[in-house]
Amino acid sequence: MPIVTEIVPLPARSVALSLLLGSHPDRMSPAMLIRAGEHLGIPSSTMRVALTRAVAAGDLRRLDGDYVLGERLVRRQRHQDEGVEDAERPWDGSWEMTVVVVSGRPGPERAALRDLLTGHRLAELREGVWTRPANLRRPQQYADDPVLRVFRAEPDDPARLAATLWDLDTWVRDGRALLERLDATTDPAPRLAVAAALVRHLSADPLLPQDLLPRDWPAAELRSRYTAYQAELRELAADRTG
């Protein structure tokens, strides 16, 4: 995923969703969201309208007066959290391999299957053949799909295969550039836009075993900086409401 070349402040709805996606627990009061929005240059009336529309669209829901993530965004947050929860699992050298064995399916079904496998951080080796190192704790929720057959494999040169499936050098370069941009951006609204680009970049982290990564892989630093930024923003909103 390329880094952003021009930082554009996020609209009110994206601000609210970004705040909750980066929040644990994922609930914030209306006052906290409104105050955080004001800090980012968003009028309170604009934020209220954005929150109402986000609830109507299912992106957010109300719980005991607070706002929490809707089901789709809960899945997205879980996907983000995999980078913290799964990255250090011991690896036995084996790979997940998934083969599509049914052809002639409609385009929407093919697209949905591609999204499912990509969401599980598999990469396509060739058409219909998807693979990745078997180092993640997450369940293989795709394994029961009747159009797939799932195997374990041990390639002869896993490092070379990983470098073929993922552009690791570009991911490192873009990650370092985002860290530099975050350091250089002090205005609140553009800074949040950089943080949002950073977390999108993390969502493309293949979560490979340490043995297969370049020496200067910045994923841990990116996650640490994003977590620290979200904590600062949430504390600011809490202090203002207090």
Side-chain angles (χ1 to χ4, degrees):
M1 178 180 297
I3 62 172
V4 289
T5 56
E6 181 181 356
I7 298 300
V8 179
L10 301 180
R13 183 167 165 178
S14 295
V15 166
L17 300 184
S18 294
L19 287 166
L20 282 160
L21 279 166
S23 176
H24 292 279
D26 62 334
R27 60 189 296 168
M28 296 180 73
S29 70
M32 291 178 70
L33 287 165
I34 288 168
R35 292 302 184 188
E38 290 176 340
H39 175 68
L40 298 162
I42 298 171
S44 59
S45 58
T46 302
M47 180 60 80
R48 289 189 182 95
V49 171
L51 291 170
T52 299
R53 291 176 176 172
V55 171
D59 289 335
L60 298 178
R61 60 189 180 89
R62 299 300 296 271
L63 178 64
D64 299 329
D66 291 340
Y67 286 96
V68 299
L69 296 173
E71 182 179 349
R72 180 182 66 85
L73 291 180
V74 167
R75 292 195 298 269
R76 180 173 163 185
Q77 187 184 57
R78 189 178 302 121
H79 181 74
Q80 291 176 187
D81 290 345
E82 285 177 0
V84 177
E85 297 169 358
D86 293 331
E88 300 302 324
R89 180 179 178 179
W91 179 50
D92 63 4
S94 64
W95 286 56
E96 301 175 20
M97 179 168 286
T98 301
V99 179
V100 181
V101 295
V102 176
S103 60
R105 293 170 297 120
E109 291 185 12
R110 295 197 304 272
L113 182 61
R114 175 176 291 272
D115 288 344
L116 175 67
L117 296 176
T118 301
H120 280 74
R121 302 182 194 257
L122 277 77
E124 194 169 25
L125 178 61
R126 64 177 180 82
E127 186 175 1
V129 179
W130 296 72
T131 188
R132 67 154 294 111
N135 67 312
L136 301 183
R137 289 195 297 267
R138 54 99 175 106
Q140 297 179 3
Q141 294 176 338
Y142 57 85
D144 295 331
D145 193 309
V147 307
L148 300 176
R149 294 293 181 270
V150 179
F151 308 92
R152 284 294 180 102
E154 293 191 16
D156 293 334
D157 192 344
R160 182 178 180 183
L161 179 57
T164 300
L165 293 170
W166 293 280
D167 189 351
L168 303 180
D169 291 338
T170 297
W171 200 92
V172 170
R173 185 187 69 239
D174 289 353
R176 293 292 178 195
L178 282 168
L179 287 171
E180 292 176 4
R181 181 70 69 88
L182 190 64
D183 286 339
T185 305
T186 56
D187 290 345
R191 186 169 167 80
L192 177 60
V194 177
L198 189 153
V199 79
R200 286 195 300 272
H201 188 66
L202 280 171
S203 71
D205 181 358
L207 300 181
L208 300 178
Q210 191 67 36
D211 292 348
L212 304 183
L213 293 174
R215 187 170 302 175
D216 58 347
W217 191 251
E221 185 177 359
L222 285 163
R223 291 190 183 93
S224 175
R225 294 290 301 281
Y226 178 71
T227 299
Y229 170 76
Q230 285 288 346
E232 291 172 8
L233 199 58
R234 186 178 176 89
E235 183 177 355
L236 180 145
D239 286 348
R240 288 185 169 219
T241 55

